[in-house]
């Protein structure tokens, strides 16, 4: 909704000036007011008044303990306490006004909201202010009822298939950027994983009866680098494509000779031979609405890279290059950069969506991973030309300079790269990631586009800090999150973290407000997965709304050093989710 009175309280609001606070207080946006960084206003002539707004807001959202801590810390004299009490009395009037809304007593609610707003130190159009307060509070009451009734996630395990033991000394089989780790077409499902240093196991599952076929693709594979994951794709003729075992190295790629067949494969092939010597993160983009099979990959390295697209011509059985890189920081000066993308998505209208963060070199010897900002681009012609969220055309390649920053994140904020995106029924993107909250604690976060603006909510309530620092793949207390959306636009977020005991969990956010779940989630795998990340079948979810997870317990030594020689079972697990 575009009306100003419907600003959602879960937005991440940068309260940069005093007037902002008065506007939020006028409507009773308590969550926004509660996020004031009070230390930034030390020395402000209206500091105690600003403090009163924050304390009143904390009381309104049920954080009385935090409110008392602020009073004890900052209220230096009786005059300060009196000023704060006025804000608390205003909050009491607000709650009484909400009660009168329930009792359908319009005149009484109007009077009480008027008394609540009367604390404002400026002259306002009282009639207009009361209407705004009443309308906003009604919306929030309706939202609170909806969110309480929508937090139950009905998820049922339908099937669990043990595919046998496989390498588990790091997360090479379960990194989230496997696109795709599992894929389906015409009643068959395919996955692949490293069984050991000489064997890639390729699996074909018949969904009707869960019968399994297996093919061992033999070779010499570097399992000591979790970047070297396996990605699968299927073209419009049903041929399976597989790319594997590279990190800034020569492309390794094969395809099946026959449709939906895993027993006969080509030798290792180049695609076009262009920009294929320093490949990382091969990402197959599956055909949708007539679009061809695409592959997106990085040419370069983590601080100096370009993202290239190729498309597959089934008739000629050849790949073709797009003329320019899509994303590039390799020529930036004086600092080069690289874009890390979330999973690309082709929506039901045929539009290709891409979201990403930018990464530069370390700022210091601490090696804090320097990801920043969330960018976005979309293409209506299978990736040939690109536009911003507002349909402004890009000039390729997209760089840090001309990129559409849809959610700003400061450098050094523990922003993780390579998370997840999904598209709702209206064709609008939803993105999940983690980065620091206002207190410097990494939290899962959800941003989504409404058609007019981007909205934001936190999806976790973690208490412990950590630093995203060091080279290579890191051992971290939380996985990157994955997102799926059902046909009613409910959002489901998959993750494992210290909150869940490193067990895979799911939480649900319901439209239209996608409420803060405050650590409400459901465990869907009862054993610790240690360092695994969510890998699932996007295509089956899109077609059937059945969630197939690829599950394996993995370790992950920091920097991919000192691996243990471990093997754990791999499972395909089906869930229905409502």
């Amino acid at each position: 909704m575009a009306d100003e009175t419907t600003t959602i309280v879960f937005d991440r609001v940068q309260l940069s000036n005093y007037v902002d606070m008065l506007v939020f207080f006028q409507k009773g946006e308590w969550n926004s007011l509660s996020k004031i960084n009070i230390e930034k206003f030390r020395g402000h002539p209206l500091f105690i008044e600003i403090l009163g707004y924050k304390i009143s807001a904390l009381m309104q959202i049920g954080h009385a303990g935090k409110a008392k801590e602020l009073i004890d810390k900052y209220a230096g004299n009786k005059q300060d306490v009196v000023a704060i009490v006025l804000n608390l009395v205003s909050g009491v009037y607000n709650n009484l006004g909400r009660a009168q809304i329930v009792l359908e007593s319009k005149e009484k609610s109007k009077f009480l909201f008027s008394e609540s707003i009367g604390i404002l130190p400026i002259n306002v159009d009282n009639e207009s202010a009361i209407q705004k307060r009443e309308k906003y509070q009604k919306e929030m009451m309706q939202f609170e009822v909806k969110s309480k009734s929508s937090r139950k996630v009905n998820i049922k395990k339908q099937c669990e298939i043990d595919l046998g033991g496989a390498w588990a000394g790091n997360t090479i089989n379960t990194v989230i950027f496997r696109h795709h780790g599992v894929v389906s077409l015409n009643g068959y499902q395919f996955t692949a994983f490293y069984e050991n240093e000489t064997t890639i196991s390729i699996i074909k599952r018949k969904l009707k009866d869960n019968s399994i076929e297996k093919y061992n693709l033999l070779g010499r594979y570097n399992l000591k680098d979790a970047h070297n994951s396996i990605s699968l794709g299927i073209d419009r003729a049903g041929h399976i494509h597989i790319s594997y075992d590279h990190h800034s190295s020569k492309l390794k790629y094969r395809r099946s000779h026959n449709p939906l067949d895993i027993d006969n494969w080509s030798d290792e092939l180049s695609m076009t031979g262009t920009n294929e010597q320093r490949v990382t993160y091969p990402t197959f983009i599956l055909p949708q609405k007539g679009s061809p099979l695409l592959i997106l990959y990085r040419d370069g390295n983590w601080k100096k890279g370009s993202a290239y697209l190729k498309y597959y011509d089934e008739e000629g059985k050849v790949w073709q290059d797009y003329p320019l890189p899509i994303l590039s920081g390799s020529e930036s000066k004086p600092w080069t950069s690289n874009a890390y993308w979330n999973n690309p998505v082709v929506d039901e209208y045929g539009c290709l969506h891409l979201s990403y963060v930018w990464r530069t070199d370390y700022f210091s010897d601490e090696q804090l991973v320097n990801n920043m900002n969330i960018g976005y681009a979309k293409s209506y012609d299978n990736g040939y030309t690109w536009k911003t969220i507002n349909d402004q055309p890009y000039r390729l390649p997209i760089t840090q300079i001309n990129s559409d920053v849809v959610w700003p994140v400061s450098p050094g904020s523990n922003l993780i790269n390579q998370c997840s995106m999904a598209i709702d029924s209206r064709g609008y993107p939803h993105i999940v990631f983690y980065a620091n909250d206002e207190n410097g604690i990494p939290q899962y976060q959800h941003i989504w586009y409404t058609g007019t603006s981007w909205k934001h909510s936190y999806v976790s309530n973690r208490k412990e800090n950590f630093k995203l620092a060091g080279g290579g793949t890191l051992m971290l207390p939380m996985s990157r999150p994955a997102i799926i959306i059902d046909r009613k636009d409910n959002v489901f977020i998959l993750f494992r973290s210290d909150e869940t005991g490193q067990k895979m969990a799911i939480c649900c956010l319901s439209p239209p407000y996608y409420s803060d779940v405050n650590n409400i989630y459901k465990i869907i795998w009862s054993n610790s997965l240690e360092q695994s990340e969510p890998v699932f079948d996007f295509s089956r979810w899109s077609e059937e709304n059945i969630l197939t997870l690829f599950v394996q317990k993995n370790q992950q030594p920091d920097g991919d050093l000192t691996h243990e020689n471990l093997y754990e079972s791999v499972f395909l697990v089906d869930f229905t989710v409502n």
Side-chain angles (χ1 to χ4, degrees):
M1 294 179 284
D3 188 278
E4 65 169 338
T5 61
T6 62
T7 303
I8 307 306
V9 296
F10 300 101
D11 288 351
R12 178 183 178 185
V13 181
Q14 301 296 327
L15 296 173
S16 58
N17 58 62
Y18 177 66
V19 175
D20 286 336
M21 294 178 223
L22 296 182
V23 171
F24 290 129
F25 184 85
Q26 186 177 345
K27 293 192 293 182
E29 285 197 50
W30 310 122
N31 274 50
S32 297
L33 286 170
S34 73
K35 292 182 174 67
I36 296 171
N37 186 341
I38 202 66
E39 280 296 326
K40 290 184 178 180
F41 293 93
R42 289 296 292 272
H44 193 288
L46 297 172
F47 174 75
I48 291 300
E49 184 181 313
I50 294 168
L51 176 64
Y53 292 142
K54 175 157 185 151
I55 288 171
S56 178
L58 287 169
M59 292 294 291
Q60 288 290 316
I61 63 175
H63 292 172
K66 290 183 181 179
K68 184 178 183 302
E69 288 175 12
L70 291 177
I71 294 172
D72 292 342
K73 183 175 181 179
Y74 295 110
N77 54 51
K78 184 177 180 180
Q79 187 176 356
D80 292 347
V81 173
V82 170
I84 292 168
V85 166
L86 287 175
N87 280 276
L88 298 179
V89 171
S90 170
V92 172
Y93 277 119
N94 182 78
N95 290 340
L96 292 172
R98 287 164 62 103
Q100 293 302 320
I101 288 176
V102 175
L103 296 173
E104 299 183 353
S105 178
K106 186 171 181 62
E107 289 303 313
K108 287 183 179 179
S109 66
K110 180 178 179 180
F111 167 77
L112 291 164
F113 285 136
S114 175
E115 292 296 303
S116 181
I117 295 167
I119 192 177
L120 281 171
I122 58 173
N123 292 323
V124 297
D125 180 347
N126 200 46
E127 191 69 29
S128 173
I130 293 169
Q131 289 176 0
K132 288 179 180 179
R133 173 67 73 95
E134 184 176 26
K135 182 176 181 182
Y136 192 80
Q137 294 302 309
K138 278 183 177 179
E139 289 174 350
M140 289 302 98
M141 290 168 70
Q142 292 169 356
F143 157 69
E144 288 159 7
V145 171
K146 288 178 181 178
S147 65
K148 286 178 182 177
S149 64
S150 67
R151 286 176 174 173
K152 293 181 179 179
V153 181
N154 181 16
I155 181 165
K156 294 182 179 180
K157 184 166 68 173
Q158 301 295 317
C159 180
E160 177 182 315
I161 301 173
D162 188 340
L163 300 177
W167 165 256
N170 64 358
T171 56
I172 193 169
N173 284 326
T174 60
V175 285
I176 198 171
F177 49 76
R178 295 188 62 187
H179 302 312
H180 297 266
V182 190
V183 65
S184 297
L185 183 69
N186 294 343
Y188 293 94
Q189 187 174 66
F190 303 88
T191 190
F193 52 88
Y194 292 107
E195 187 172 319
N196 53 51
E197 291 181 335
T198 62
T199 307
I200 292 176
S201 293
I202 302 176
I203 302 296
K204 177 180 178 180
R205 172 191 177 192
K206 188 175 183 180
L207 294 173
K208 186 176 181 179
D209 59 13
N210 292 322
S211 58
I212 296 293
E213 298 177 35
K214 180 179 177 181
Y215 179 84
N216 290 334
L217 187 63
L218 302 180
R220 296 295 304 177
Y221 308 115
N222 176 17
L223 307 188
K224 303 297 177 66
D225 183 344
H227 291 80
N228 294 355
S229 60
I230 303 165
S231 292
L232 296 169
I234 304 180
D235 63 35
R236 289 173 293 188
H239 294 269
I240 305 161
H241 300 244
I242 185 170
S243 189
Y244 51 90
D245 195 26
H246 30 47
H247 185 191
S248 297
S249 54
K250 183 179 178 181
L251 174 72
K252 294 182 180 179
Y253 160 75
R254 300 172 187 257
R255 61 177 175 263
S256 67
H257 286 303
N258 303 310
L260 304 178
D261 175 41
I262 63 170
D263 292 327
N264 295 282
W265 293 88
S266 70
D267 294 332
E268 283 191 356
L269 304 170
S270 65
M271 289 184 172
T272 67
T274 303
N275 301 314
E276 295 178 7
Q277 300 305 308
R278 300 178 301 164
V279 173
T280 317
Y281 309 123
T283 301
F284 289 105
I285 303 171
L286 301 177
Q288 176 83 0
K289 298 294 181 182
S291 64
L293 177 69
L294 304 173
I295 189 168
L296 176 70
Y297 64 94
R298 185 183 77 193
D299 173 68
N301 62 38
W302 61 273
K303 62 181 177 180
K304 189 177 182 180
S306 297
Y308 285 93
L309 264 177
K310 301 176 189 283
Y311 71 92
Y312 186 65
D313 175 4
E314 290 91 353
E315 185 173 348
K317 296 184 179 181
V318 293
W319 288 91
Q320 301 285 343
D321 287 297
Y322 280 53
L324 292 170
I326 308 305
L327 304 163
S328 182
S330 63
E331 303 301 321
S332 300
K333 294 181 179 180
W335 288 57
T336 58
S337 61
N338 173 65
Y340 284 89
W341 55 87
N342 304 318
N343 57 288
V345 182
V346 180
D347 67 27
E348 61 178 302
Y349 308 104
C351 180
L352 172 57
H353 301 257
L354 190 63
S355 59
Y356 47 88
V357 305
W358 292 97
R359 184 174 177 182
T360 68
D361 201 352
Y362 303 123
F363 279 180
S364 68
D365 292 340
E366 187 182 21
Q367 290 192 325
L368 190 68
V369 173
N370 189 37
N371 293 322
M372 65 189 81
N373 297 332
I374 297 176
Y376 171 83
K378 61 183 174 181
S379 174
Y380 296 110
D381 55 8
N382 303 320
Y384 192 80
T385 62
W386 293 84
K387 295 186 176 183
T388 69
I389 193 69
N390 294 317
D391 286 317
Q392 296 302 312
Y394 279 113
R395 183 175 179 179
L396 295 181
I398 300 167
T399 71
Q400 278 187 269
I401 299 302
N402 68 339
S403 179
D404 184 6
V405 178
V406 299
W407 196 257
V409 181
S410 298
S413 297
N414 285 324
L415 172 63
I416 190 66
N417 48 276
Q418 295 166 293
C419 292
S420 188
M421 177 174 62
I423 308 301
D424 65 26
S425 64
R426 298 178 296 172
Y428 297 149
H430 293 240
I431 301 166
V432 289
F433 59 98
Y434 72 70
N436 287 352
D437 63 13
E438 292 83 354
N439 298 313
I441 307 296
Q443 305 288 0
Y444 290 121
Q445 301 178 44
H446 169 219
I447 62 172
W448 68 99
Y449 189 62
T450 66
T452 57
S453 63
W454 288 86
K455 302 298 181 182
H456 172 274
S457 71
Y458 289 103
V459 191
S460 63
N461 191 23
R462 296 183 65 259
K463 307 299 183 185
E464 299 297 324
N465 194 5
F466 69 88
K467 287 188 176 181
L468 192 62
T473 305
L474 302 174
M475 181 171 63
L476 297 171
M478 57 198 302
S479 75
R480 286 167 282 203
I483 183 173
I484 53 177
I485 302 177
D486 70 12
R487 295 185 177 100
K488 295 182 179 180
D489 286 341
N490 293 298
V491 163
F492 302 95
I493 299 174
L494 296 154
F495 62 97
R496 65 102 193 124
S497 74
D498 44 8
E499 285 187 291
T500 70
Q502 307 305 345
K503 301 171 184 177
M504 193 64 70
I506 191 169
C507 70
C508 175
L509 308 177
S510 297
Y513 300 113
Y514 298 106
S515 64
D516 181 344
V517 298
N518 289 322
N519 214 19
I520 295 176
Y521 54 81
K522 184 168 184 176
I523 301 294
I524 59 174
W525 188 259
S526 58
N527 298 317
S528 169
L529 292 172
E530 295 196 8
Q531 290 288 297
S532 293
E533 296 188 302
V535 175
F536 65 93
D537 188 339
F538 288 89
S539 48
R540 193 178 187 200
W541 173 261
S542 177
E543 291 294 323
E544 303 178 53
N545 263 197
I546 292 176
L547 175 63
T548 299
L549 277 178
F550 179 102
V551 176
Q552 187 192 26
K553 178 181 178 181
N554 303 122
Q555 290 189 357
Q556 180 55 61
D558 262 333
D560 263 323
L561 303 173
T562 63
H563 296 83
E564 293 185 42
N565 198 31
L566 296 176
Y567 294 84
E568 297 283 351
S569 290
V570 171
F571 299 90
L572 289 178
V573 190
D574 291 347
F575 299 92
T576 55
V577 185
N578 296 289

